Amino acid sequence: MVDTFLGPTFCNTVPLTFSISDFRILAYPSSSSSSMATSSQYRQHRRCCSNPNPPHHQPALLVFSGGTAFNGVIEELKHFTTRVAHVLPVSDDGGSTAEIVRVLGGPAVGDIRSRCLRLSDQSTAEALAVRNLLGHRLPLDPLQAKSEWYSIVEGDHLLWKGVSKPYRETIRAFLVYFQNQILRRAEESFCFSNGSIGNFFFAGARIFFQSLDAAIFLFLRVSDIPPESLVLPVISTNDRLTLGCELWDGTIIRGQNEISHPTSGTTELIKKGSFSAPALTSKIKRVFYMSSEGKNLLHEVFPMANVAVLEQLNNVDCIVYGMGSLFTSICPSLVLLRVGEIISSRSCLKVLVLNGTLDRETNGFSASCFITAITDALNRTYGQPGNRLQNPPSHYINTLLVPRGGEIPVDIECLSAQGIFDVIVVDSLRDPKVGIIYDPKSLITSLANLIDRYMTSRVDGLMQDDNDS
């Protein structure tokens, strides 16, 4: 059933401006009990990928996310549209990514590799074999990990079964190149524990080409990802990037892993449960980039946003802030120059997909706190005075998706004061490891309906303007 307050959900232009009495919450029914209209619309969207219609007839989305939480809905999203620009941070410094960065330098590619694997082709036996190879992780025990790595590099591991000679020679060449780069740095002892073969392949390709973009292009082709699906690092660089955060009590924390889920060592498995790490001494004020050896605010640096990301922001039909770690997965992509300027100038759907659970970064947050954090990041509120913006939240977000039964309070009064009037409740599932998560099909159905209604309202508005003229 739909629980409705007064007021229309969309008008012909966005951002939306209604009084508090116009606030509306929509509760979408579960996918198994959707109305005939909703099912028909969703089937129509699903045919975008399976019928002969060219890809440009599909809606174009840009998604800000990290490499974990949003991955759970990728398969369902493919059925709706493949015209998606996935914008990912390159500041992760945990797990095997940290070991690669420590020994070889460069940006972190773990989140990019994770998204590429989710987007990769699975339609043939060979495609699955390539995906299994690049998605494989070595054992935790260092000696076992090193032994298995050598078996893979030498080409006699069972993971190569089903991979044809052209693919085998292409992938193995960059794994061998990665190994050679490690051997050249004999003074550094590389630990293969829990290492990702996809990360090693990525690192080898990036160093060989001296280009992160070229490495991503190679990975996309090897994984046979649709050309209209883009995986974009928010910063295109060959340099190491370090994320820092400033707490409200003045504390500075260096490193994404230390902010989000600190561990005692690089080989320890990262636990991303709601409160698996000690609480922060104070709430997070902002995140920023700092020099690789920096310790305080004097070492803040200001990298340029990837031009390809800015181009996509100017042209997509919908901007999505995906679920995930707010300050270490989403905000690192928002604090860069020109990102806030472009998003605030666009009259398109701007959707925040609210998390289902709280974590170390957001303990005590309500929905409006997420809105405030994103607005502050895009406005660069606590950065250099000359680079600050003063746009209201409604210039950056006009729709909020909320998982049913989620633990983050939806404070309607505060949201309305921020200019956020459209809240859609989406069916959820309970994951034993992380708690409440979105039901993938319900989430993409809700997003498809949103875009469909918005596109229809835009067309109706244009027709009305023509009639008036």
Side-chain angles (χ1 to χ4, degrees):
M1 299 294 293
V2 178
D3 184 14
T4 306
F5 285 78
L6 297 176
T9 303
F10 284 98
C11 58
N12 291 334
T13 60
V14 176
L16 309 174
T17 53
F18 300 126
S19 67
I20 189 169
S21 63
D22 290 323
F23 200 104
R24 164 179 262 197
I25 294 182
L26 297 177
Y28 271 100
S30 66
S31 57
S32 59
S33 61
S34 298
S35 66
M36 292 181 63
T38 300
S39 299
S40 175
Q41 288 174 357
Y42 187 53
R43 283 197 302 270
Q44 186 177 29
H45 285 300
R46 290 180 65 100
R47 287 200 299 270
C48 289
C49 299
S50 58
N51 70 5
N53 290 339
H56 66 264
H57 287 167
Q58 303 174 33
L61 279 61
L62 183 142
V63 178
F64 291 109
S65 69
T68 302
F70 199 80
N71 279 348
V73 301
I74 293 298
E75 292 300 324
E76 198 64 34
L77 180 61
K78 290 180 187 177
H79 298 310
F80 170 44
T81 179
T82 54
R83 292 183 65 203
V84 182
H86 301 267
V87 178
L88 297 153
V90 286
S91 51
D92 183 20
D93 58 359
S96 65
T97 299
E99 188 69 356
I100 294 171
V101 173
R102 181 183 71 84
V103 176
L104 300 177
V109 297
D111 288 346
I112 294 173
R113 180 266 311 160
S114 178
R115 185 57 48 83
C116 286
L117 281 175
R118 288 300 181 115
L119 292 169
S120 61
D121 180 41
Q122 302 178 63
S123 62
T124 67
E126 180 169 44
L128 286 172
V130 170
R131 177 169 172 154
N132 289 337
L133 171 67
L134 296 177
H136 182 70
R137 282 195 176 272
L138 300 174
L140 273 174
D141 180 81
L143 292 178
Q144 293 179 7
K146 192 171 186 178
S147 175
E148 184 172 10
W149 164 247
Y150 284 144
S151 176
I152 292 171
V153 170
E154 291 167 3
D156 55 13
H157 196 283
L158 285 176
L159 282 169
W160 291 109
K161 184 178 181 181
V163 180
S164 65
K165 186 177 179 181
Y167 271 107
R168 176 191 292 253
E169 292 181 349
T170 300
I171 296 171
R172 186 165 171 255
F174 290 100
L175 296 181
V176 170
Y177 189 79
F178 173 78
Q179 172 68 13
N180 288 338
Q181 293 300 304
I182 292 173
L183 294 177
R184 289 179 60 186
R185 293 158 174 81
E187 69 280 3
E188 300 283 354
S189 177
F190 190 91
C191 180
F192 289 97
S193 177
N194 197 41
S196 162
I197 303 304
N199 281 355
F200 298 160
F201 173 77
F202 238 129
R206 183 194 61 78
I207 297 171
F208 178 82
F209 291 117
Q210 289 296 297
S211 167
L212 178 58
D213 292 329
I216 295 173
F217 176 81
L218 176 66
F219 202 109
L220 295 179
R221 297 289 77 80
V222 166
S223 300
D224 198 18
I225 295 172
E228 65 273 11
S229 296
L230 305 178
V231 179
L232 302 174
V234 71
I235 302 168
S236 181
T237 180
N238 278 321
D239 298 325
R240 177 179 179 177
L241 290 173
T242 301
L243 192 69
C245 91
E246 180 183 5
L247 306 185
W248 279 101
D249 65 5
T251 301
I252 303 298
I253 302 177
R254 180 180 181 275
Q256 177 176 320
N257 214 48
E258 285 300 308
I259 301 167
S260 182
H261 33 261
T263 61
S264 58
T266 58
T267 62
E268 184 177 341
L269 282 175
I270 295 173
K271 299 175 182 178
K272 297 186 177 181
S274 297
F275 294 101
S276 58
L280 293 166
T281 59
S282 177
K283 286 184 169 59
I284 294 175
K285 183 178 183 180
R286 67 169 182 136
V287 293
F288 59 94
Y289 291 95
M290 58 199 313
S291 63
S292 59
E293 303 303 325
K295 299 293 184 181
N296 56 49
L297 293 177
L298 295 176
H299 297 94
E300 183 172 1
V301 295
F302 304 91
M304 298 295 295
N306 187 348
V307 174
V309 172
L310 302 179
E311 290 176 351
Q312 289 297 313
L313 279 174
N314 272 312
N315 293 290
V316 294
D317 302 310
C318 178
I319 297 168
V320 178
Y321 309 92
M323 56 283 198
S325 300
L326 175 61
F327 288 103
T328 54
S329 291
I330 309 301
C331 288
S333 296
L334 308 182
V335 298
L336 302 170
L337 293 177
R338 294 189 62 197
V339 175
E341 286 86 339
I342 294 176
I343 294 177
S344 63
S345 71
R346 293 293 319 280
S347 292
C348 67
L349 273 174
K350 303 166 189 178
V351 181
L352 170 60
V353 185
L354 189 68
N355 292 344
T357 58
L358 296 166
D359 57 21
R360 170 178 158 95
E361 299 177 18
T362 56
N363 186 19
F365 274 36
S366 63
S368 66
C369 295
F370 279 75
I371 302 286
T372 297
I374 289 173
T375 301
D376 286 347
L378 289 164
N379 277 339
R380 302 181 292 276
T381 302
Y382 303 108
Q384 287 190 325
N387 290 330
R388 293 176 186 173
L389 304 175
Q390 295 183 339
N391 294 314
S394 58
H395 282 200
Y396 297 125
I397 298 168
N398 47 48
T399 304
L400 181 66
L401 300 186
V402 179
R404 191 184 306 278
E407 67 182 41
I408 299 173
V410 181
D411 45 345
I412 292 176
E413 295 283 340
C414 292
L415 289 170
S416 64
Q418 293 175 318
I420 312 300
F421 299 103
D422 292 297
V423 176
I424 297 175
V425 180
V426 180
D427 279 351
S428 63
L429 305 169
R430 178 168 290 278
D431 185 294
K433 294 182 180 179
V434 298
I436 295 295
I437 62 173
Y438 286 91
D439 174 75
K441 187 170 184 178
S442 294
L443 177 60
I444 302 306
T445 297
S446 300
L447 194 58
N449 287 335
L450 267 174
I451 294 173
D452 183 69
R453 288 207 312 274
Y454 176 75
M455 294 295 195
T456 300
S457 71
R458 295 287 291 184
V459 171
D460 290 346
L462 290 173
M463 292 177 64
Q464 183 62 46
D465 290 343
D466 289 341
N467 291 335
D468 292 342
S469 61

